[in-house]
Amino acid sequence: MGHPHLPTTEAAVTAIREIADAYRLEMTVTDDIGADRTSRRTASRVFTVLDADGSLPHEAYLELGGSPAVSVQLFPEDDAKITVDGVEFADVPRDAVPAFLRSVHGGLAHVKGRLFPPGQWLIVPLPGDETYKELISHGALSPWMARTLR
């Protein structure tokens, strides 16, 4: 895919900070470093402190100010969970996070309603025909989502 490779959580945090600066959004970061601090350690054995490459597992939780409310949880396993106004996008590849945020804050992300099956979806298009979509819980349209309804 056409995403720049973000080899570490730190590289992803730096890339997200640049996007926050570009869109003049406040950003808070909480870092959890070490196997005892990270939430998911599926790939490691019990009592394993270092990742396979010898580094400490590093997870970060970021919140971006403004509208929509966006939070990003970066996991050591090269993926992320992005929440946009309460709608969760799980298993987003870490390398796709910057493009995802640019789509949301750059006006490309939108809500699409359907009659059959009924529901409203938050759609986040990325460059190169990649699209993420999640069903919005009934009646959970935020003011930002309502403005993007197509």
Side-chain angles (χ1 to χ4, degrees), residues 47-61:
F47 305 122
T48 302
V49 179
L50 301 176
D51 277 348
D53 64 0
S55 65
L56 285 169
H58 180 186
E59 182 173 302
Y61 180 78

Side-chain angles (χ1 to χ4, degrees), residues 38-112:
T38 54
S39 62
R40 264 191 346 200
R41 299 298 297 147
T42 50
S44 67
R45 297 187 307 283
V46 182
F47 305 122
T48 302
V49 179
L50 301 176
D51 277 348
D53 64 0
S55 65
L56 285 169
H58 180 186
E59 182 173 302
Y61 180 78
L62 301 90
E63 290 181 286
L64 300 177
S67 179
V70 176
S71 67
V72 180
Q73 189 165 9
L74 296 165
F75 298 107
E77 290 87 359
D78 292 344
D79 67 325
K81 178 175 77 178
I82 303 175
T83 306
V84 179
D85 273 354
V87 178
E88 272 187 19
F89 291 83
D91 303 319
V92 176
R94 181 165 58 204
D95 292 349
V97 171
F100 188 106
L101 296 176
R102 277 191 212 96
S103 178
V104 167
H105 290 290
L108 296 174
H110 60 278
V111 173
K112 201 170 205 133

